[in-house]
């Protein structure tokens, strides 16, 4: 097992995959946290913006819409991560493992 | 009760009804025959599942991780079951019923833990873990000190959560069903012992799955029946709510929340990090075959939970529109009978009659039983797999012995839960939910995060930091405004904040980093060197626990 780990670790493709995965994860993290803290900071510091109705004929305010949007955006970004991880990343991962198993031992 | 505390309680599920019902203390209780009948149906089905599961439970892997054969979709539903309870429905509806938009905030904020769990933890956890979260850190750290700290913290987490659930459950059930508090406790105790001791994780998962389906269907029905009542116009429903509510248009707007920044930030951080590291939720990642299914389960869970929270955007306002001015649901003073917490329950009667009211009550009972079962198996795994098999027997216990100890632990935890539930009856225990969240945010999250992301972490650093987080958390909670100030009657706390999480999280992280940096023992050097192997395993799944073969 140790030799296998070392061989994977020595494969540049592994590091490329790793970098790609973590870039996506941290970008999405930043997106989610922006939506969240945007919501919370708006409530704390600019509540008047959230108090306005969307247009004259409705009672739905920007705050309600933003709240629902935060939930939807979170689900959407979570889905985006799974989409890329389960397709692209898993495929690259399988290839790296295949190469590691194929190389002669020692 | 402060709004922040209510939020916590909401997240934890069933304590809010307790707080409200304890004040309301319904004098005349009638047996609710329809609800009891439907609950009996649920019990029969769930015991059937348990019987089926018991025949499939042979090894430790079956008992504690359902053999790793649960699909991502099923696991997503089961996690949803662990996360949302009927009391979340009742609690959020109650907050919106009373305050409007500020109640909505509580639908939105706790959800933040989900994306974080997905992006930062899900695949790695599945690739490193086996049955409990202690397994994840045992990959490169010293087994005995790490497992001791994590399993004891897990037990503190489980017992704290259990007390809140049991007391909330007893009060809720005795009110909805018209049965005695103690009887309700004993019924819950017997059912969870049957599920967990015989059916293990397989039964717990499927019971959770059935319950989540029932709860989501019930909430959907309430939401869509209410919308139907307003000709499918959300705007019409909101307009009617605004005209009914004494605060008028203000219910669509943020009010006076988030005024005290330190508390709000501390509470938010505790929910975010604590929610992402709860042992009874994380152990569900080990019930799926691989990282791919683990990711799918987070996605399904996030979708179901997000859907549930969006339903509350309608349900809360529908309660204002349809319950607030209906004399059937008001007492002599024109206030809602049973308190705001009954808003969702009354709404279910308003949209679906007494039959649907019975259904929702039965779902509420089923929900509590399932949540408590999930906690019980998390506690049982900490005792059997961590304390018994790995620490006491140094990993030399046989499968049969571990399963046997798990079953005995489940029976003991069930009995202990009933005893605690009865002992804490009629006491204000809502603050106790801060304990498990402080533990998960200041012990589990820092250890898990640093062990997966930072090469430099050593056993000494992790254990010292975790112990600091745990100890400081307990001390600051004790010296805070709730226990020292209110319960012990000193007026105010020595420590001024209700939520010490901000301070304990920072203390825990800093201690881990500083102690690890100073640690130059040969063991520390070995542990740092092993980071590479652990990293490859966490990323690729090579060497990860494979599903059991039958």
């Amino acid at each position: 097992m140790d030799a296998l780990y070392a061989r994977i670790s020595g494969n540049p493709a592994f590091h490329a995959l790793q970098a790609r995965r973590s870039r996506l994860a941290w970008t999405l993290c930043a997106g989610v946290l922006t939506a969240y803290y945007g919501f919370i900071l708006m409530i704390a510091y600019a509540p008047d913006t959230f108090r306005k109705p969307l247009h004259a004929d409705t009672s739905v305010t920007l705050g309600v819409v933003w709240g629902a949007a935060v939930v939807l955006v979170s689900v959407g970004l979570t889905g985006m991560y799974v989409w890329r991880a389960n397709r692209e990343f898993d495929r690259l991962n399988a290839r790296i493992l295949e190469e590691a198993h194929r190389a002669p031992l020692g | 009760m402060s709004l922040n505390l209510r939020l916590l309680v909401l997240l934890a599920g069933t304590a809010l009804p307790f707080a409200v019902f304890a004040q309301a203390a319904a004098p005349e209780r009638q047996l609710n025959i329809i609800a009891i009948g439907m609950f009996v149906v649920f019990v029969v089905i769930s015991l059937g599942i348990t019987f089926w599961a018991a025949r499939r439970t042979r090894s430790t892997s079956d008992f504690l991780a359902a053999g790793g054969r649960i699909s991502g979709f099923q696991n997503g539903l089961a996690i949803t079951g662990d996360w949302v309870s009927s009391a979340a429905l009742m609690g959020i509806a109650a907050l919106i019923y009373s305050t409007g938009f500020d109640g909505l905030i509580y639908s939105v904020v706790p959800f933040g833990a989900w994306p974080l769990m997905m992006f930062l933890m899900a695949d790695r956890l599945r690739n490193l873990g086996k049955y409990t979260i202690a397994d994840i850190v045992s990959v490169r750290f010293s087994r005995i000190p790490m497992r001791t700290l994590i399993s004891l913290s897990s037990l503190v987490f489980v017992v704290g959560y259990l007390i809140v659930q049991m007391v909330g459950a007893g009060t809720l059930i005795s009110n909805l069903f018209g049965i005695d508090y103690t009887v309700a406790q004993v019924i819950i105790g017997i059912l969870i012992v049957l599920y967990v001791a015989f059916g293990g994780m397989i039964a717990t998962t499927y019971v959770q799955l059935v319950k989540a389906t029932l709860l989501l269907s019930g909430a959907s029905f309430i939401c869509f029946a209410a919308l139907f009542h307003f000709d499918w116009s959300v705007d019409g429903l909101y307009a009617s709510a605004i005209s009914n509510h004494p605060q008028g248009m203000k219910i669509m707007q943020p009010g006076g929340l988030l005024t005290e920044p330190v508390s709000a930030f501390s509470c938010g951080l505790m929910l975010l990090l604590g929610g992402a590291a709860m042992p009874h939720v994380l152990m569900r990642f080990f019930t799926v075959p691989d990282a791919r299914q683990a990711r799918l389960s987070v996605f399904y869970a996030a979708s179901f939970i997000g859907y549930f929270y969006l339903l509350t955007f309608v349900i809360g306002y529908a309660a204002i529109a349809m319950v607030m001015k209906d004399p059937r649901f008001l007492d002599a003073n024109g206030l809602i009978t049973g308190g705001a917490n009954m808003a969702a329950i009354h709404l279910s009667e308003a949209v679906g009659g007494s039959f649907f009211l019975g259904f929702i009550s039965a779902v509420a009972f089923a929900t509590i039983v399932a949540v408590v079962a999930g906690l019980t198996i998390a506690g049982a795994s900490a005792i059997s797999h961590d304390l018994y098999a790995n620490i006491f027997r140094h990993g030399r216990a046989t499968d049969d012995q571990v399963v046997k100890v798990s079953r005995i632990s489940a029976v003991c935890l069930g009995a202990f839960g009933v005893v605690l539930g009865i002992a804490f009856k009629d006491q204000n225990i809502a603050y106790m939910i801060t304990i498990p969240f402080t533990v998960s945010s200041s012990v589990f999250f820092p250890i898990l995060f640093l062990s997966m992301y930072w090469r430099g972490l050593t056993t000494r650093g992790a254990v010292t930091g975790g112990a600091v987080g745990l100890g400081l958390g307990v001390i600051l909670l004790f010296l805070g405004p709730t226990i020292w100030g209110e319960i012990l009657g000193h007026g105010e706390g020595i420590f001024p904040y209700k939520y010490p999480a901000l301070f304990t999280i920072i203390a825990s992280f800093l201690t881990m980093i500083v102690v690890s940096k100073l640690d130059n023992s040969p063991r520390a050097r070995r542990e740092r060197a092993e980071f590479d192997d652990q990293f490859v395993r966490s990323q690729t799944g090579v060497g990860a626990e494979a599903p059991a073969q039958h």
Side-chain angles (χ1 to χ4, degrees):
Chain A
M1 194 68 86
D2 285 356
L4 193 58
Y5 284 143
R7 217 177 302 139
I8 294 171
S9 190
N11 185 346
F14 170 71
H15 294 280
L17 166 64
Q18 198 291 116
R20 225 147 130 190
R21 190 203 299 267
S22 85
R23 199 178 323 124
L24 177 70
W26 288 108
T27 313
L28 295 182
C29 245
V32 167
L33 291 176
T34 310
Y36 266 88
Y37 282 96
F39 183 67
I40 292 171
L41 290 175
M42 286 288 271
I43 292 168
Y45 295 105
D48 284 336
T49 321
F50 269 10
R51 290 191 179 125
K52 286 198 199 85
L54 284 185
H55 54 88
D57 308 325
T58 182
S59 43
V60 178
T61 56
L62 181 62
V64 174
V65 175
W66 193 319
V70 169
V71 174
L72 289 174
V73 164
S74 303
V75 175
L77 294 184
T78 310
M80 195 192 275
Y81 181 82
V82 181
W83 175 264
R84 279 196 60 187
N86 281 8
R87 283 162 182 268
E88 183 185 338
F89 299 162
D90 273 2
R91 201 175 49 234
L92 292 172
N93 195 32
R95 197 180 304 155
I96 291 165
L97 292 188
E98 200 184 305
E99 280 171 22
H101 282 289
R102 211 173 33 212
L105 284 166
Chain B
M1 192 162 43
S2 78
L3 279 169
N4 281 339
L5 186 59
R6 283 208 220 169
L7 160 61
L8 264 184
V9 164
L10 267 185
L11 200 78
T14 56
L16 194 66
F18 163 77
V20 176
F21 284 121
Q23 293 151 9
E28 78 281 17
R29 283 202 297 249
Q30 298 172 315
L31 276 184
N32 183 340
I33 302 297
I34 299 173
I36 292 173
M38 289 200 192
F39 183 66
V40 169
V41 173
F42 171 79
V43 168
V44 170
I45 292 171
S46 61
L47 290 179
I49 291 173
T50 308
F51 180 72
W52 168 84
R55 300 178 46 171
R56 275 159 186 74
T57 302
R58 292 171 206 141
S59 61
T60 312
S61 163
D62 293 334
F63 194 91
L64 295 179
R69 290 188 305 268
I70 302 291
S71 76
F73 178 80
Q74 293 170 325
N75 193 41
L77 255 183
I79 293 174
T80 309
D82 271 327
W83 191 270
V84 290
S85 65
S86 55
L89 173 68
M90 295 168 68
I92 293 173
L95 283 166
I96 298 176
Y97 186 86
S98 320
T99 64
F101 185 88
D102 285 356
L104 272 190
I105 298 175
Y106 296 120
S107 281
V108 175
V109 172
F111 195 59
W114 280 98
L116 282 191
M117 218 189 283
M118 169 69 103
F119 305 147
L120 302 180
M121 332 241 302
D123 342 10
R124 294 172 192 238
L125 287 179
R126 175 59 191 88
N127 285 337
L128 295 174
K130 191 175 179 190
Y131 304 142
T132 65
I133 52 174
D135 293 329
I136 295 161
V137 290
S138 299
V139 171
R140 73 178 164 120
F141 299 111
S142 188
R143 196 176 62 214
I144 292 186
M146 279 302 228
R147 278 202 198 269
T148 310
L149 174 75
I150 292 195
S151 56
L152 293 180
S153 308
S154 298
L155 288 174
V156 172
F157 177 96
V158 166
V159 170
Y161 217 111
L162 204 61
I163 295 176
V164 180
Q165 292 285 336
M166 290 301 280
V167 175
T171 325
L172 172 70
I173 298 311
S174 64
N175 276 279
L176 287 182
F177 284 70
I179 56 176
D180 185 62
Y181 179 92
T182 314
V183 175
Q185 296 285 312
V186 173
I187 293 174
I188 298 171
I190 292 174
L191 284 176
I192 53 165
V193 165
L194 289 175
Y195 297 156
V196 179
F198 292 103
M201 188 50 122
I202 303 178
T204 311
T205 303
Y206 282 95
V207 167
Q208 199 66 280
L209 216 137
V210 170
K211 161 249 160 140
T213 312
L214 289 174
L215 182 62
L216 288 173
S217 328
S220 305
F221 181 80
I222 298 179
C223 172
F224 295 116
L227 279 177
F228 173 73
H229 187 84
F230 290 94
D231 291 330
W232 304 104
S233 159
V234 179
D235 229 2
L237 187 148
Y238 283 159
S240 164
I242 291 166
S243 72
N244 272 359
H245 202 281
Q247 293 180 34
M249 186 60 195
K250 286 210 175 78
I251 62 171
M252 305 301 292
Q253 302 167 336
L257 213 74
L258 301 172
T259 41
E260 212 272 278
V262 176
S263 274
F265 191 71
S266 186
C267 184
L269 200 65
M270 170 168 77
L271 290 172
L272 211 60
L273 304 189
M278 298 201 283
H280 67 300
V281 172
L282 295 189
M283 88 182 277
R284 292 213 166 276
F285 287 127
F286 313 135
T287 66
V288 294
D290 51 30
R292 182 188 180 81
Q293 296 295 326
R295 289 190 288 262
L296 278 176
S297 44
V298 181
F299 175 64
Y300 286 121
S303 307
F304 288 129
I305 295 167
Y307 170 70
F308 174 82
Y309 284 139
L310 289 180
L311 292 180
T312 64
F313 275 56
V314 171
I315 293 173
Y317 289 101
I320 303 176
M322 298 179 68
V323 172
M324 198 170 260
K325 288 284 160 73
D326 189 332
R328 281 184 294 168
F329 308 120
L330 305 177
D331 62 15
N333 301 320
L335 294 171
I336 182 167
T337 46
N341 242 43
M342 289 294 284
I345 301 288
H346 290 326
L347 180 64
S348 70
E349 191 175 356
V351 297
S354 61
F355 185 78
F356 188 63
L357 171 72
F359 174 78
I360 287 292
S361 304
V363 170
F365 204 159
T367 289
I368 289 159
V369 174
V371 170
V372 176
L375 285 170
T376 305
I377 197 153
S381 71
I383 296 173
S384 65
H385 177 63
D386 295 334
L387 288 176
Y388 171 76
N390 274 293
I391 297 173
F392 183 65
R393 298 292 306 274
H394 296 280
R396 286 192 295 270
T398 65
D399 242 20
D400 285 348
Q401 288 169 327
V402 178
V403 172
K404 197 169 154 198
V405 173
S406 307
R407 293 189 207 273
I408 296 170
S409 315
V411 175
C412 296
L413 280 168
F416 190 50
V418 173
V419 170
L420 289 173
I422 293 170
F424 282 93
K425 186 191 175 187
D426 290 338
Q427 293 185 39
N428 187 358
I429 41 76
Y431 70 90
M432 276 196 192
I433 197 59
T434 322
I435 298 170
F437 273 92
T438 306
V439 171
S440 60
S441 62
S442 337
V443 181
F444 302 140
F445 187 86
I447 292 184
L448 290 176
F449 183 81
L450 289 180
S451 75
M452 293 189 295
Y453 281 86
W454 186 45
R455 174 187 304 275
L457 188 70
T458 70
T459 302
R460 196 180 292 166
V463 171
T464 322
V468 165
L470 180 67
L472 194 65
V474 171
I475 293 170
L476 293 184
L477 281 173
F478 181 77
L479 295 178
T482 315
I483 298 185
W484 187 261
E486 285 166 33
I487 295 171
L488 297 175
H490 291 90
E492 53 190 82
I494 296 174
F495 177 74
Y497 302 107
K498 272 187 183 158
Y499 308 102
L502 177 59
F503 304 92
T504 56
I505 291 167
I506 292 174
S508 176
F509 266 109
L510 277 182
T511 314
M512 282 182 202
I513 292 169
V514 171
V515 174
S516 298
K517 288 238 179 225
L518 295 175
D519 186 359
N520 265 319
S521 60
R523 187 177 74 182
R525 284 199 288 276
R526 206 171 54 238
E527 286 165 355
R528 287 186 198 109
E530 279 171 21
F531 181 80
D532 288 325
D533 285 356
Q534 181 203 289
F535 184 71
V536 173
R537 173 171 165 181
S538 76
Q539 293 282 326
T540 60
V542 174
E545 198 63 23
Q549 301 296 324
H550 267 203

